[in-house]
Amino acid sequence: MSPTRIRGPRGVAPRRRDVVTGRHWVVLGASAAAAAASSTIVMGAAYLLPALHTGRGLSLAQAGLVVATPQVGILTALLAWGWLVDRVGERLVLLLGLALTALATGAAALSGGLGALSAWLFLAGAAAASTNSASGRVVIGWFPPRGRGLAMGVRQMSTPLGAALGALTMPVLARDHGLGAALAVPAAACAGAALLVAFVVADPPRPQRGDAGDVLVANPYRASGYLARIHGVSVLLVVPQALMSAYLLVWLMTAQGWGAVAAGLVVTAGQVLGAVGRIVVGAWSDRAGSRMRPLRLVALAAAGCAILLALAEATPALPRAIAIVLAVALTVVSVADNGLAFTAVAEYAGPFWSGRALGAQNTSQFLAMAAATPAFGWLVERHGYVGAFAVAAVVAGLAVPLVPRADRHAERA
């Protein structure tokens, strides 16, 4: 392979790829803020579920379909946004996507009927898909391999932090002031993140296509089943995440008898701990020199927490505090795999395919989440939370043998 020329963003001199500067961390912070803002609507829509269920009289399954519409929207657009990132760069995609997300969420806040609300939430999710590939590519582009796990953990913590912002504000606003007031939170967050990106984010350096070897330019899906296996693992592990993100609040309020504020604080604590957990496992993977070994252990932990929670829920004699602690633990471990898988996908796909590969990664995850959210509503109504927690344990357990045994990188030949 001939020496690779690195191009930097316009007006920025090329830097050594193994040196991390303060500028890198500033760009990472802005990218994480962008992802957190979009997550506030994609994940935070679930916190409208109590208002739709009790205030609008919808069944849990019906309300689950409404709050899943941003996830349906995001999965329809991830591949297209990933293709655009590969073509025009990260900064433009982040700016355009965040602006459109803010506009669509604002329109949802002003909508009247459930049909219009669902349509605007769908469009908000489709626009929010832009941040998934673009913000991940910023991390992979700016940070060297030994720092990517930690950096991606910081970026990936944005999803639970965005969900935490929604949990802390949206249920109470929806209860006291209506759905429109609750949706103003993610609309404002996305508008603010767009301004931050405009001032801070620059496209990372990457090789010129003509100077890269054939291996980097070639379709990575044709080289092996490595990416497909990681996608499969992520799909299976997103199922317990879907359960806890959508129904932990409802479980606390209906099955445990907690009020909206107290339940929201517990959900917020779980999301914040989940954010910290992503950083911890990311740094762990850097020190271990592997993404796959930590990923396998996270899958085992998710299955274990879910089955223990099912047993605790099925045993009324146990103190309820045990079940609540296990629910928070499952919330934390169910999101811990995302940064590991995200980093591994981008490292293997390389600079010319990582946008599309990350789009495929997120498409498969959100498709599973969009399907699992109403499915768990149906399951809870017919078999209770014990059945839901048990199903989550089985699905997470299936991910363990699917994790690749060894890490692979862009130099695939």
Side-chain angles (χ1 to χ4, degrees):
M1 183 186 300
S2 62
T4 299
R5 293 200 304 270
I6 301 297
R7 66 173 177 86
R10 188 181 306 171
V12 178
R15 299 179 183 271
R16 285 182 55 194
R17 296 296 305 279
D18 58 345
V19 175
V20 177
T21 68
R23 169 67 172 166
H24 293 80
W25 290 106
V26 171
V27 172
L28 171 60
S31 302
S38 65
S39 175
T40 306
I41 181 59
V42 174
M43 305 298 293
Y47 304 126
L48 302 177
L49 200 151
L52 291 169
H53 179 46
T54 59
R56 297 289 185 96
L58 301 182
S59 69
L60 275 178
Q62 291 171 329
L65 285 172
V66 174
V67 301
T69 51
Q71 297 163 18
V72 177
I74 201 172
L75 70 89
T76 63
L78 279 165
L79 287 174
W81 283 115
W83 176 88
L84 192 61
V85 170
D86 286 335
R87 293 300 184 273
V88 305
E90 295 82 359
R91 183 176 184 273
L92 179 59
V93 168
L94 284 172
L95 284 173
L96 181 61
L98 287 167
L100 291 175
T101 306
L103 290 172
T105 307
L110 298 174
S111 62
L114 290 175
L117 173 66
S118 299
W120 283 116
L121 288 177
F122 172 87
L123 293 175
S130 60
T131 64
N132 288 72
S133 296
S135 60
R137 272 274 298 265
V138 167
V139 173
I140 295 300
W142 280 113
F143 283 81
R146 277 293 182 178
R148 284 176 188 159
L150 173 60
M152 188 65 83
V154 173
R155 181 263 177 238
Q156 290 295 95
M157 79 173 185
S158 59
T159 299
L161 285 182
L165 174 62
L168 195 62
T169 59
M170 294 175 69
V172 176
L173 287 172
R175 182 197 64 192
D176 296 342
H177 304 287
L179 297 176
L183 288 168
V185 173
C190 289
L195 290 175
L196 183 61
V197 167
F199 283 104
V200 170
V201 172
D203 289 338
R206 60 175 174 172
Q208 297 282 9
R209 181 176 290 270
D211 298 321
D214 292 339
V215 172
L216 289 180
V217 176
N219 185 340
Y221 289 95
R222 295 177 181 174
S224 73
Y226 182 78
L227 287 180
R229 289 184 68 173
I230 296 177
H231 295 336
V233 170
S234 297
V235 164
L236 293 171
L237 292 182
V238 87
V239 171
Q241 181 183 340
L243 171 62
M244 302 313 292
S245 64
Y247 294 100
L248 176 58
L249 184 73
V250 181
W251 177 70
L252 289 168
M253 294 175 65
T254 59
Q256 307 300 317
W258 288 40
V261 174
L265 287 173
V266 170
V267 173
T268 301
Q271 295 293 346
V272 171
L273 290 173
V276 174
R278 288 182 172 185
I279 297 176
V280 171
V281 297
W284 171 25
S285 74
D286 284 340
R287 294 179 67 87
S290 172
R291 318 297 179 199
M292 294 301 102
R293 290 199 300 273
L295 182 60
R296 189 176 297 108
L297 291 175
V298 167
L300 281 168
C305 286
I307 195 62
L308 289 175
L309 180 56
L311 291 173
E313 182 69 7
T315 311
L318 286 177
R320 290 294 83 196
I322 294 177
I324 292 167
V325 169
L326 287 169
V328 172
L330 180 56
T331 301
V332 173
V333 298
S334 70
V335 301
D337 66 290
N338 287 9
L340 297 172
F342 221 64
T343 307
V345 166
E347 287 178 333
Y348 183 77
F352 300 107
W353 278 87
S354 56
R356 281 163 283 184
L358 292 174
Q361 167 78 3
N362 279 298
T363 297
S364 58
Q365 285 184 294
F366 279 104
L367 180 61
M369 183 168 282
T373 299
F376 274 123
W378 176 88
L379 189 62
V380 168
E381 288 183 329
R382 284 158 179 77
H383 302 285
Y385 284 99
V386 174
F389 296 143
V391 167
V394 171
V395 174
L398 293 174
V400 177
L402 192 58
V403 177
R405 298 193 63 83
D407 293 71
R408 300 182 66 180
H409 301 281
E411 293 75 16
R412 301 182 287 274

